[in-house]
Amino acid sequence: MTSLSRAEAALSDAADPLGPFRSRFLIADETIYMDGNSLGRLPLAAREELQRVVDVEWGEGLVQSWEHWIDLSQRVGSSIAPLIGAATGEVSLADSTSVNLYRLAGAALSAIPGRSVIVTDSGNFPTDRYVLGGLARERGMTIMLVDRQRDGTLDLADVTAALDDDVALVSFSHVDYRSGAIADMAAINAVAHDSGALTLWDLSHAVGSVPIDLSGHGADLAGCSADLAGCSADLAVGCTYKYLNGGPGAPAFMFVRGELQDELLPPIQGWFAHAEQFAFAPDFRPATSIDGFLVGTPPILSASAVAIGVSIVAEAGMAAIRS
């Protein structure tokens, strides 16, 4: 193993194209921080933005600030979309990862009646297994568990073997939270769609860390339909407090493929999802867009911090971050 002197290491840091980004974060000491998978560092701009939102938008603007707060979830979602290979209008910020997982999984299961199996893996993050297990019990369905390989990878042959015409939903994490193994998203989407199932991905340990291609645009056309829908993901969720540096308890995001937005009806229906939100109608009529998957009032302070964290990752670029 080649060793570097401190001077050589400093020169290497100085040549790193991402080196200047270090000064954009609050670093209180010289600790080598390796817990970004649980909480990203504080961007200095986020601290300034929160102060501005509190003092000016909340303190002075009060209720009038809702004129530009009302669509903050959608605007931040649109800024996340390029980081995960999604289109504008397919991503929105909302609630927690667990709530979004329940919301999208429930919508998917209701869209494919007559099928009774959910496929996930035995090593998936606990909350994913808990949520999917609860939905299975609630609906009289079965969970089919695929075992990961020793290195944490998902073997496509094992996934394919778990699929038949009784499977409604296939749900995995794109990055395994223990090993860091990256699943072959496009290939799994393709075999799941061949069986008639929908796919739901948890991007919590992937977004801001590795490139993500929900649309399947970078996939090999072999095994995909001509329009690439065969390799594209249907649904996804993810958190913003890890590699997007959105802050503790920051809201999560959800992705719904554009073609599915007017077909799926989430099990949680709130006034922010109504087609005419301020009509205050007696009956629910969902918006035929990503808005139809919202529920209630967005958390403005934390969403404002997320916007800063996302902008820094976007500026750095996922290719450079991965490299």
Side-chain angles (χ1 to χ4, degrees):
M1 178 181 296
T2 303
S3 61
L4 294 177
S5 68
R6 185 175 184 86
E8 289 170 327
L11 286 173
S12 182
D13 281 347
D16 187 341
L18 296 185
F21 282 87
R22 187 176 192 275
S23 64
R24 308 269 288 272
F25 294 85
L26 177 63
I27 301 177
D29 57 39
E30 292 303 311
T31 300
I32 298 175
Y33 186 66
M34 302 293 287
D35 282 331
N37 60 300
S38 292
L39 180 64
R41 284 194 182 274
L42 168 63
L44 296 175
R47 184 171 60 179
E48 297 168 1
E49 176 67 0
L50 285 173
Q51 191 67 58
R52 187 193 67 80
V53 173
V54 168
D55 290 347
V56 178
E57 296 188 359
W58 179 9
E60 298 175 15
L62 291 173
V63 71
Q64 295 179 36
S65 292
W66 277 109
E67 291 184 10
H68 57 270
W69 284 345
I70 197 71
D71 64 347
L72 182 58
S73 292
Q74 297 93 318
R75 283 188 279 120
V76 177
S78 292
S79 69
I80 293 173
L83 303 180
I84 58 177
T88 299
E90 291 185 326
V91 183
S92 187
L93 203 68
D95 304 296
S96 70
T97 305
S98 301
V99 170
N100 289 341
L101 188 73
Y102 176 84
R103 178 182 303 161
L104 298 189
L109 297 177
S110 295
I112 312 181
R115 294 189 173 218
S116 61
V117 177
I118 301 169
V119 172
T120 187
D121 67 276
S122 56
N124 204 351
F125 194 77
T127 221
D128 296 56
R129 289 184 282 114
Y130 301 160
V131 168
L132 296 174
L135 278 166
R137 289 189 298 273
E138 177 184 301
R139 296 169 181 244
M141 302 180 75
T142 301
I143 295 287
M144 172 73 74
L145 295 176
V146 175
D147 290 329
R148 286 183 178 262
Q149 302 298 300
R150 290 177 61 88
D151 62 359
T153 57
L154 283 167
D155 189 288
L156 185 62
D158 291 340
V159 175
T160 304
L163 299 173
D164 58 28
D165 58 10
D166 206 22
V167 175
L169 180 66
V170 176
S171 183
F172 298 117
S173 290
H174 187 217
V175 170
D176 179 47
Y177 79 103
R178 286 179 293 193
S179 68
I182 303 173
D184 188 340
M185 179 184 288
I188 291 174
N189 288 335
V191 296
H193 291 157
D194 282 347
S195 75
L198 292 173
T199 59
L200 169 56
W201 291 91
D202 187 337
L203 308 179
S204 294
H205 288 86
V207 63
S209 173
V210 299
I212 302 169
D213 183 20
L214 289 176
S215 67
H217 286 164
D220 185 342
L221 276 173
C224 298
S225 60
D227 61 0
L228 283 176
C231 282
S232 63
D234 298 309
L235 306 161
V237 299
C239 69
T240 62
Y241 58 80
K242 300 180 190 296
Y243 305 114
L244 294 183
N245 306 300
F253 64 87
M254 56 184 167
F255 158 87
V256 181
R257 185 160 56 84
E259 296 88 339
L260 295 175
Q261 290 178 6
D262 60 354
E263 296 180 17
L264 303 183
L265 183 63
I268 309 174
Q269 298 161 22
W271 76 300
F272 263 70
H274 199 283
E276 296 181 272
Q277 181 182 3
F278 289 99
F280 300 115
D283 300 311
F284 181 74
R285 182 164 58 88
T288 55
S289 67
I290 191 67
D291 294 2
F293 293 82
L294 298 174
V295 177
T297 308
I300 298 303
L301 297 181
S302 52
S304 299
V306 173
I308 297 297
V310 170
S311 70
I312 293 174
V313 173
E315 181 184 345
M318 284 312 307
I321 290 172
R322 179 58 175 161
S323 177

